[in-house]
Amino acid sequence: MTDRIKAGLERLFIDHRIVFWYDAARDMRASYDAVDLPDVEKVEIANNEFGLKYRMLRQEPKQKFLVFHDGPAPEMADNWLLDLYFACGVFKADQAAIWLAELGLPLQFEDVVRDHMEFYRAKGRIEALKQMITPSDTKTDVLRRMLAVCAGAEGALDTVIEELLAELADERDDAMRLMERSGLTEFFWKQVENAYGYVSDAPDFEDFAITLFQSCYARALGEDGNLNGEALLVFRRWKNNRLGAKAFETLSGKYQEILRIPEDLQERDIKALRAIDHFEEIDRQIIRSLVREMASQTVSSAEVLKTVRERRQSHWYPVYEDIYQAIGYATEFQQALAEANLTMTSPAEGVKRYVSHWYKIDQLYRKFIYHMQKSGQASLLSALFESVENRYTTNFLSAVNDAWQDQIAGLSDWRISGFAHQTDFYMDQAAEFRRRDQKVVVIISDALRYEVAEEALREIRKLNRFDADLKPMISALPSYTQLGMAALLPNKDLELSEDGNVSSFGLPTQGTANREKVLGMGRTGDRVKAMKADDFMSLKADDGKEVFRDHDILYLYHNRIDIVGDKLATEERMTEAAEVAVEDLTKLVRKLTTANFSNILVTADHGFIYQHRALDETDFSVAVPAGAEILVKNRRFIIGRDLDATSGMKKFSSANLGLSGDLDVLLPNSINRMRVKGAGSRFVHGGATLQEVIVPVLRVGKRREADVEKVEVQIIATGKSLISSGQTAVTLYQALPVSEKQQQRDVLAGIYASDGTLISDEHQLTFDYTSQNARERELPIKFLLSRDADRFNNQDVCLKLRERIGKTSHFEDYTSHSFQLRRGISTDFDF
């Protein structure tokens, strides 16, 4: 108590030389006696008023005096010191006065304390309030700050509402009960009524919250709501604030049932819902509608992609991101397939068309399956999956390979003019660097299909100062691991053995150690090494540089796709394995350049064909292989001796395939599989389809200068850059499509006054549009102005796009556009 009294007196003496202290209850004598203030003279009123007055005004005009009276102040007519009483400071030593003094508030604010005594009984609340109070505060301002303290909010009413919503979501009402005990409830509801238009004979916060959701949903649909535009602004800010995300999701889930949102959505056009995310059910309704219309082909690709693009701004997008991604890839797949001409007049033309266009269909199908699986919502996407799967298998995979089969049926030898062959890879491509006395590293990724390598190409090109190009190469046949791996080494007299293994130079080629020996048969004097990619990735930086220093040719063996896809138990996870493979190769390339390797080749032993759904009987070959001796039977090839030419299969001799020995090979036509007990049938390779035999050669190099930048985003404002209502619309335009070297830009957009005050809602936006059509890179945005905008009417304000600085919580301005704010003040903001 003494400390508070001393602190209160010290604050009064800052502004006054004389301070009166009337002890009306005659219970503060001990406190008065205990007070010791430097440079302050303590005097008492005891029938000595004239003498005190003469002393304080004439004898000691500069001395500070604490004037104490043991009793109440006399009536004004009997108070000989009345003029000094009004001119000087007065200290009241009751609890309310002490708190008032502690807050540094004048006597006029006494009712702010006396009417709300319960609030001040906690020192922590007083300290929190003291931090918020400013010299210009009115009584109403102080009461608002008391509400903020009760709620644990930052200060403004909208932050109080956010904290109360968080409590409501947690099924607590601590803040509301504290407001009630503190006598602040009536004031709170009056503030809510004035700010948001909420009127009720029996106001209740959950009723307000339900009304808030209902009103904001209605306004977003262009309908009337019970609350005003300021409520919509507060709702948006709260919904988009990651700190309030959990509370929003809890209440939204609860109130969508109370407000019967699922039933309401049945009657809505999804175009009207594209920009609304008040309830999770909206996203589910949009998804169901898109899936239904895509499966029945009653919606255009452009419309689907536009919807998916707009839903990226939804609060629920992270929950349904993989579903939206799957839908996006599915519609791109349908569009690519519709535009594809699957005819060819020669094997060379078939390869050329595949690597220029058709590979994209395989890639889009794979990406669709991956995101469908990852979403965990296969049932929600089942109709779309059936449509995509049927069209992929029938209209593309079978169709294109039936046409391809017609071309290779006429081949006697396995060579396609105009394209590099896998058996020439070492001499023509890897050794090319050695002939220039340059070191080279070759990454062989097992089953890295051409379309997966194309995705890896784009990811590698996104790296700063990295460049890469991709060309096709024709694999050896049969297109299986043992032969493909041997063909990529220096090779002579490649020969199939009776167990399916392969020898070269008379040496075995299976296993890393054996391959390193064969690699050493290439150029005399070359220092060679073969190792697993995972082992290289685990090396320390200095050890990696040592590998570079001590070797001229490094072969790295990477296995993510084949090890998963080529097993019955895991083949359905192939799409996930392909994603990991792309990520692996990107990291591996970075690590190699850190170790000083600058010439990098990425290739594969073979490709594969994959269908996600279990195969029908018609997908298996009805051909029955026959001959003197069947040695190896695989799902996609037969190896034997003196095999018979069989209908439904293509026969090659070893010589036809460029191999040594006397064995024959039979390959089922098109995409047909042979029945092999215990083997999977969805992921297969070994045959001669385009997807199996076209393998990538990815050349990676390092540039000296930075070559990656973010896309430019421009602000396009219509009219005269004038804001005349409570909202304004602008268009944000991404100048160029996103590419490997033009990368996405993330911005935070809002309208600010000249002093930096945010006067609108904020939007977190990602610009990553890939379309070549400029119109499809436009993003229309509406900004709602807050009540704070009233203070800046008839002034210039600024729309700013800001970017996060690294991973910090700080932002810097990227670009801006000035507007003049000129509008009539309205309590409902012209919505």
Side-chain angles (χ1 to χ4, degrees), residues 269-327:
D269 186 335
I270 66 167
K271 290 181 182 178
L273 300 172
R274 284 199 300 224
I276 305 174
D277 63 347
H278 300 54
F279 304 100
E280 184 176 1
E281 188 62 27
I282 294 172
D283 281 86
R284 297 184 67 85
Q285 177 67 13
I286 288 174
I287 289 166
R288 282 191 293 264
S289 179
L290 286 177
V291 167
R292 183 172 58 251
E293 292 179 348
M294 288 178 67
S296 61
Q297 299 182 46
T298 56
V299 62
S300 69
S301 296
E303 195 66 28
V304 174
L305 293 175
K306 183 177 182 180
T307 301
V308 170
R309 189 165 62 244
E310 289 194 25
R311 291 315 291 173
R312 291 189 305 180
Q313 308 303 323
S314 166
H315 178 91
W316 310 98
Y317 184 76
V319 178
Y320 296 101
E321 179 176 4
D322 284 297
I323 293 184
Y324 282 120
Q325 291 267 41
I327 289 171

Side-chain angles (χ1 to χ4, degrees), residues 94-141:
D94 62 8
Q95 191 65 68
I98 292 170
W99 288 330
L100 195 65
E102 189 170 348
L103 292 168
L105 294 173
L107 283 175
Q108 298 94 301
F109 284 74
E110 185 175 357
D111 56 337
V112 171
V113 176
R114 290 197 182 279
D115 294 346
H116 310 282
M117 295 286 282
E118 181 62 29
F119 175 88
Y120 295 92
R121 299 198 189 283
K123 185 171 179 60
R125 291 198 288 270
I126 295 174
E127 290 299 321
L129 182 60
K130 193 189 302 184
Q131 296 297 318
M132 292 184 177
I133 288 175
T134 66
S136 61
D137 279 351
T138 64
K139 290 182 180 181
T140 299
D141 292 331

Side-chain angles (χ1 to χ4, degrees), residues 31-299:
S31 297
Y32 168 73
D33 292 339
V35 168
D36 182 16
L37 299 173
D39 302 323
V40 174
E41 186 75 23
K42 293 164 61 176
V43 296
E44 291 192 50
I45 301 172
N47 295 320
N48 57 348
E49 287 89 344
F50 181 76
L52 284 177
K53 192 172 187 178
Y54 183 77
R55 177 184 175 185
M56 291 188 292
L57 296 181
R58 292 304 180 94
Q59 291 180 319
E60 301 177 59
K62 295 184 178 181
Q63 176 63 44
K64 293 181 178 179
F65 289 94
L66 174 58
V67 183
F68 180 79
H69 178 60
D70 189 13
E75 296 295 329
M76 285 195 294
D78 299 325
N79 192 346
W80 292 91
L81 300 176
L82 187 62
D83 52 346
L84 289 180
Y85 178 85
F86 283 121
C88 300
V90 177
F91 178 68
K92 293 189 176 182
D94 62 8
Q95 191 65 68
I98 292 170
W99 288 330
L100 195 65
E102 189 170 348
L103 292 168
L105 294 173
L107 283 175
Q108 298 94 301
F109 284 74
E110 185 175 357
D111 56 337
V112 171
V113 176
R114 290 197 182 279
D115 294 346
H116 310 282
M117 295 286 282
E118 181 62 29
F119 175 88
Y120 295 92
R121 299 198 189 283
K123 185 171 179 60
R125 291 198 288 270
I126 295 174
E127 290 299 321
L129 182 60
K130 193 189 302 184
Q131 296 297 318
M132 292 184 177
I133 288 175
T134 66
S136 61
D137 279 351
T138 64
K139 290 182 180 181
T140 299
D141 292 331
V142 174
L143 289 169
R144 285 173 180 159
R145 302 195 194 290
M146 290 166 65
L147 292 177
V149 172
C150 287
E154 295 177 3
L157 182 61
D158 60 345
T159 66
V160 173
I161 295 298
E162 289 183 12
E163 293 298 332
L164 293 175
L165 288 167
E167 282 202 354
L168 183 61
D170 288 341
E171 298 183 345
R172 296 183 294 111
D173 62 351
D174 301 357
M176 288 300 297
R177 286 190 289 108
L178 178 56
M179 288 181 195
E180 186 174 356
R181 294 199 309 273
S182 301
L184 290 166
T185 304
E186 183 178 348
F187 175 78
F188 169 73
W189 286 118
K190 190 63 179 176
Q191 293 293 301
V192 170
E193 178 181 343
N194 292 340
Y196 311 123
Y198 175 71
V199 179
S200 173
D201 293 336
D204 172 80
F205 192 75
E206 180 155 33
D207 179 65
F208 169 77
I210 295 171
T211 306
L212 180 67
F213 273 88
Q214 183 182 42
S215 183
C216 292
Y217 174 63
R219 282 181 172 273
L221 288 165
E223 301 169 0
D224 292 335
N226 293 331
L227 304 185
N228 60 27
E230 183 76 1
L232 178 56
L233 180 61
V234 169
F235 182 83
R236 278 193 185 177
R237 283 184 176 173
W238 170 59
K239 173 176 64 68
N240 296 334
N241 184 343
R242 61 183 181 82
L243 298 177
K246 183 179 179 181
F248 166 73
E249 291 160 11
T250 299
L251 295 180
S252 176
K254 181 179 180 181
Y255 298 157
Q256 75 178 6
E257 301 304 322
I258 292 174
L259 296 172
R260 304 180 67 82
I261 298 300
E263 291 86 342
D264 179 78
L265 292 172
Q266 298 302 317
E267 308 301 321
R268 303 283 184 182
D269 186 335
I270 66 167
K271 290 181 182 178
L273 300 172
R274 284 199 300 224
I276 305 174
D277 63 347
H278 300 54
F279 304 100
E280 184 176 1
E281 188 62 27
I282 294 172
D283 281 86
R284 297 184 67 85
Q285 177 67 13
I286 288 174
I287 289 166
R288 282 191 293 264
S289 179
L290 286 177
V291 167
R292 183 172 58 251
E293 292 179 348
M294 288 178 67
S296 61
Q297 299 182 46
T298 56
V299 62

Side-chain angles (χ1 to χ4, degrees), residues 463-479:
L463 301 176
N464 194 23
R465 297 193 306 222
F466 278 79
D467 200 6
D469 65 69
L470 176 65
K471 292 183 178 178
M473 180 169 69
I474 306 303
S475 78
L477 279 181
S479 55

